Every structure is written in structure tokens, then in C-alpha cells.
């Protein structure tokens, strides 16, 4: 019999499971709370009776994820985790420290189908979606290992969140639950490469979660060349969906823009991007593209990055340059999983 994976369950589902197995349903909140505190087994749930803990072992499990490797930056302390799941698949997460506290960047899939040419996540291939509990457990494992309290979460690791919509949404609700991790909605960000149906659906969820769009180009021909999804959803369609999102949620959207030398980093590109985003409640986050082995793209130099930023600001587009963290450990998601898979026999 396959054991039930409890991190996947909300309190109501835990209550139903306990009722089904002849247990008292009020124990569900205790179990939910223990999971959120990082309990890896039932023995740690000391306010449950010994008999209940023995019974739970027969049909349920608390953990399905182990740290396979951990790299810590000597520059800024950023920690990159490679996790192995129960089925042998591997995913990555990153813990970053900012002035406002600790942020975890987590994965939503094992691999990615989107095929962005500058991203390591897609190279090693797609295996499957992650469950809500497997997303939650990335945070629990990071907190357990580091001792840090994760106050902010970005779903910006391996995978496309809106390609795994239902599990991502359930994860957001689990992480937000006051009986659990109690991470505020406004402290969570979902990053999509621009799946328009997902953006529109997300606008109806009545959540105050932040939305980030990986745009990376100012026009469709350039975007399609580096991001295959650009051939399916035009920038105009994405911006139209974003306008609906901001109107319904009153939340500002972040546009992620990875600057690639000689590809999308010219002053003309900046001017075209500013024209596209004019009047939209948004913010542009400029990212010097990560170096990926086997991919020929190079980071824009500092002068081009600063010039691009100044041009956008001059056009009235709120813009920042993302601070690079974990440069000495290849902290961008996908690279550690890829290297580990290439080392396997």
C-alpha cells in the first residue's frame, strides 16, 4: 500500500483521513502544525499518543525529500540545495539573505518544458510536476538545515509554475495557512514565462501573491528566438493579460529581463521595452544572464546594464538591477541538477 504523503494535505484533508482511519479529527491541526515545524517523522510529534503515532506509520509518511548536496557561497552566504525525492528525482532550491530577512527560491517541477535557450533548467529534461507538499518540503528542509526562518518565497526555480497550476495554488494556500508556515501572501512571488491562460486564471484567485513575468525581450521575433513560448503567446497578449491582473488585484507586476550581450541589451531594445510597458502598473528587474555551460550567451557588461537601466528610468519605468547572489556556486537553478545527472553512471 502506498503511504499517504501528509505534507500534501491541508487541515480538512487531514481531518478526513483521520476520520476514515477511526482517529479523532482534532488531531489534524496538531499534525499540520508539526509538519510546518519541520518534523521528519511521527516520533517527533510528542503531543500525539504513542498508539496514534504507531497507527499513522501504517498508512502515512511525513517526509519525501533529502538533501543530496549543499553549496554555500563564500561571497555572500547564499546556500544552494540539491534535493533528492523519494522516487530518485532531483530538484534545486536556493536560500538567500537580504536586509529584510531570508528568501527561499523553490522549484515547481522536475525539469521544464518551456525550452528557454539561456536557462539550465530545461537542458536536463522534464520528468514530472511537483506536488504541493514537495514544494512545501523544500522550505521545511531549508529551515531545518539552516536554522533560518524563511519569510519570503519565490517560485522561480526549476519549472514553469503555471504549467503545474493546481499544485502551485495549493502550495500557496498551505504556506499561507496561519496554522502552518504562516508566510504572508504578499511575501510570495510566482514567476511565469508568460502563460496567458495561467495569468488570467490567477487574477481570479483573490490572492495578494506577487506575479513576475519572465519577458527577456522587447518584441516577439526576439523573444521567440530565445523563448519558444513567445511563438504561442505574443507580448501584446501577455501585457493585455497583465492589465487585467493589475486591474483585478491592484498588484504591481514585475517583469524579469535577463540582459544578454549583443542580443537584447541595446539602447534601442530599452526604448522599445519602455514603449511596450508605458502606463502599466509594473516594475522591471534587470538580470545579468547566468553563464550556462554549453550555451554561448554572455552577460552584458556593467556599462550596458547601467545604460539600459537609466534609459528605462528616464522613460518613467521603475527599474532595478538584481543583486547577484551566489556567483561562486552557480546559484541559478538547474545547473546543480544538471551536473549531478551528468555524473551519474
Amino acid at each position: 500500500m502506498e503511504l499517504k504523503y501528509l505534507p500534501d494535505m491541508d487541515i480538512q484533508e487531514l481531518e478526513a483521513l483521520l476520520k476514515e482511519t477511526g482517529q479523532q479529527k482534532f488531531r489534524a491541526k496538531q499534525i499540520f502544525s508539526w509538519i510546518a515545524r519541520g518534523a521528519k517523522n511521527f516520533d517527533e510529534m510528542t503531543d500525539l499518543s504513542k498508539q496514534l503515532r504507531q497507527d499513522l506509520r501504517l498508512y502515512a509518511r511525513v517526509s519525501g525529500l533529502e538533501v543530496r548536496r549543499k553549496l554555500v557561497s563564500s561571497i555572500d552566504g547564499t546556500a544552494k540545495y540539491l534535493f533528492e525525492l523519494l522516487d530518485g528525482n532531483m530538484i534545486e532550491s536556493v536560500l538567500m539573505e537580504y536586509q529584510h530577512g531570508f528568501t527561499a527560491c523553490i522549484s515547481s517541477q522536475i525539469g521544464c518544458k518551456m525550452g528557454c535557450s539561456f536557462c539550465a533548467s530545461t537542458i536536463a529534461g522534464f520528468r514530472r510536476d511537483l506536488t504541493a507538499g514537495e514544494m512545501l518540503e523544500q522550505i521545511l528542509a531549508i529551515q531545518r538545515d539552516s536554522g533560518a526562518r524563511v519569510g519570503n518565497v519565490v517560485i522561480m526555480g526549476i519549472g514553469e509554475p503555471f504549467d503545474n497550476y493546481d499544485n502551485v495554488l495549493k502550495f500557496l494556500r498551505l504556506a499561507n495557512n496561519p496554522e502552518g508556515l504562516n508566510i504572508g501572501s504578499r511575501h510570495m512571488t510566482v514567476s511565469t514565462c508568460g502563460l496567458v491562460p495561467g495569468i488570467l486564471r490567477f487574477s481570479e484567485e483573490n490572492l495578494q501573491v506577487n506575479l513576475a513575468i519572465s519577458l527577456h525581450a522587447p518584441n516577439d521575433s526576439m523573444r521567440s528566438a530565445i523563448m519558444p513560448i513567445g511563438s504561442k503567446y505574443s507580448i501584446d497578449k501577455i501585457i493585455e493579460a497583465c492589465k487585467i491582473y493589475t486591474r483585478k488585484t491592484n498588484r504591481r507586476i514585475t517583469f524579469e529581463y535577463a540582459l544578454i550581450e549583443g542580443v537584447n541589451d541595446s539602447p534601442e531594445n530599452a526604448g522599445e521595452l519602455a514603449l511596450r510597458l508605458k502606463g502599466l502598473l509594473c516594475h522591471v528587474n534587470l538580470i545579468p544572464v547566468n553563464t550556462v555551460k554549453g550555451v554561448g550567451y554572455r552577460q552584458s557588461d556593467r556599462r550596458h546594464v547601467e545604460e539600459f537601466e537609466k534609459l528605462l528610468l528616464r522613460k518613467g519605468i521603475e527599474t532595478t538591477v538584481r543583486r547577484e547572489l551566489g556567483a561562486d556556486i552557480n546559484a541559478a537553478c538547474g545547473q546543480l541538477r544538471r551536473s549531478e545527472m551528468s555524473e551519474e553512471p
Side-chain angles (χ1 to χ4, degrees), residues 243-307:
K243 286 178 179 176
I244 292 169
Y245 179 85
T246 58
R247 187 167 64 246
K248 289 191 174 181
T249 65
N250 202 32
R251 303 291 295 159
R252 183 184 69 169
I253 287 176
T254 295
F255 288 98
E256 307 281 352
Y257 194 102
L259 288 161
I260 307 170
E261 184 182 52
V263 176
N264 63 355
D265 64 345
S266 71
E268 292 75 22
N269 297 151
E272 191 176 0
L273 180 63
L275 197 60
R276 288 272 193 184
L277 302 182
K278 186 178 180 182
L280 188 63
L281 180 61
C282 70
H283 165 260
V284 172
N285 194 13
L286 298 176
I287 311 162
V289 75
N290 295 296
T291 302
V292 178
K293 187 178 179 181
V295 177
Y297 294 136
R298 293 192 302 178
Q299 284 189 1
S300 300
D301 62 38
R302 194 71 204 171
R303 182 177 62 84
H304 279 98
V305 173
E306 290 174 355
E307 185 179 38

Side-chain angles (χ1 to χ4, degrees), residues 3-20:
L3 298 178
K4 300 284 187 182
Y5 180 46
L6 299 190
D8 274 341
M9 298 185 179
D10 60 26
I11 292 172
Q12 290 71 35
E13 289 168 324
L14 285 169
E15 286 176 345
L17 178 66
L18 289 171
K19 184 179 178 183
E20 181 185 320

Side-chain angles (χ1 to χ4, degrees), residues 59-79:
Y59 56 83
R61 61 186 173 92
V62 178
S63 181
L65 176 153
E66 295 290 339
V67 178
R68 173 82 171 252
R69 286 178 68 187
K70 178 186 178 184
L71 302 176
V72 180
S73 170
S74 60
I75 300 170
D76 50 49
T78 295

Side-chain angles (χ1 to χ4, degrees), residues 79-81 83 92-96 98 102-108 135 138-139 142 150 152-158 189 191 322 331-333:
K80 184 171 187 176
Y81 291 87
F83 292 119
E92 294 176 29
S93 307
V94 180
L95 178 67
M96 300 162 284
Y98 295 93
F102 288 94
T103 295
C105 177
I106 67 167
S107 296
S108 56
M135 285 178 253
Q138 291 171 64
I139 301 172
I142 287 170
V150 172
N152 299 272
V153 178
V154 290
I155 310 178
M156 206 176 284
I158 297 172
T189 300
S191 176
R322 181 188 289 177
C333 272

Side-chain angles (χ1 to χ4, degrees), residues 184-248:
S185 292
R186 296 185 183 196
H187 294 275
M188 294 190 281
T189 300
V190 175
S191 176
T192 176
C193 67
L195 273 60
V196 169
I199 297 169
L200 295 174
R201 189 177 171 190
F202 202 56
S203 71
E204 302 286 349
E205 299 291 354
N206 195 30
L207 294 172
Q208 288 294 296
V209 174
N210 301 304
L211 180 63
I213 310 289
S214 295
L215 198 62
H216 307 314
N219 59 62
D220 291 328
S221 60
M222 185 183 296
R223 192 167 195 265
S224 298
I226 60 175
M227 301 176 70
I229 198 68
S231 301
K232 187 168 186 179
Y233 301 113
S234 70
I235 293 176
D236 284 345
K237 287 289 185 186
I238 291 170
I239 289 175
E240 186 182 323
C242 287
K243 286 178 179 176
I244 292 169
Y245 179 85
T246 58
R247 187 167 64 246
K248 289 191 174 181

